[in-house]
Amino acid sequence: MDAPHGNLLHPLPPAGPDEVLETLLARGGIRIERIVSFGQSSPDGFWYDQSEDEFVVLLSGAAVLRFEDGNRTVDLTPGTWIDIPAHCRHRVEATATDQPSVWLTMFWPAAVKTT
């Protein structure tokens, strides 16, 4: 059996008005995506409020995430990762305009909390 494989940094899609999202793997409740940004950011007033946990690694470029709790920001540079729990409202404040920003994101069902 030929195992799926590829390179996360090559080839990259051409720059355009929208980010490019590609699902690389979806299995057993886990989804892995590559996102390529070309200076995009979240629309004014928009906050992600996802029902899944999300782990993000920035592979190239630069980005700034803003979190609604306390209005804090996190600067992402290549190699930086962040674990974002479900329903932690956040937005992409900015991505690099002079080069593509390549993200590797992993999503899985939020842990069920018991009391």
Side-chain angles (χ1 to χ4, degrees):
M1 177 168 126
D2 189 23
H5 65 283
N7 186 315
L8 295 170
L9 300 175
H10 183 75
L12 293 178
D18 299 316
E19 289 182 316
V20 178
L21 184 143
E22 177 185 6
T23 299
L24 303 174
L25 176 75
R27 187 176 301 140
I30 297 172
R31 187 173 75 256
I32 301 173
E33 299 175 345
R34 178 181 79 166
I35 302 168
V36 182
S37 304
F38 302 96
Q40 288 87 4
S41 60
S42 298
D44 289 340
F46 175 83
W47 296 92
Y48 288 99
D49 186 356
Q50 300 161 170
S51 61
E52 301 168 297
D53 289 333
E54 178 183 9
F55 182 85
V56 176
V57 180
L58 192 72
L59 303 175
S60 69
V64 178
L65 297 179
R66 180 173 299 281
F67 291 85
E68 189 178 47
D69 62 343
N71 206 29
R72 66 186 169 97
T73 60
V74 175
D75 294 329
L76 301 176
T77 57
T80 306
W81 61 270
I82 187 165
D83 183 17
I84 305 171
H87 300 293
C88 178
R89 290 171 54 96
H90 64 284
R91 55 181 277 113
V92 177
E93 195 72 9
T95 59
T97 58
D98 61 341
Q99 61 182 307
S101 296
V102 179
W103 316 67
L104 181 65
T105 60
M106 291 148 268
F107 299 90
W108 60 93
V112 176
K113 294 181 179 156
T114 59
T115 55

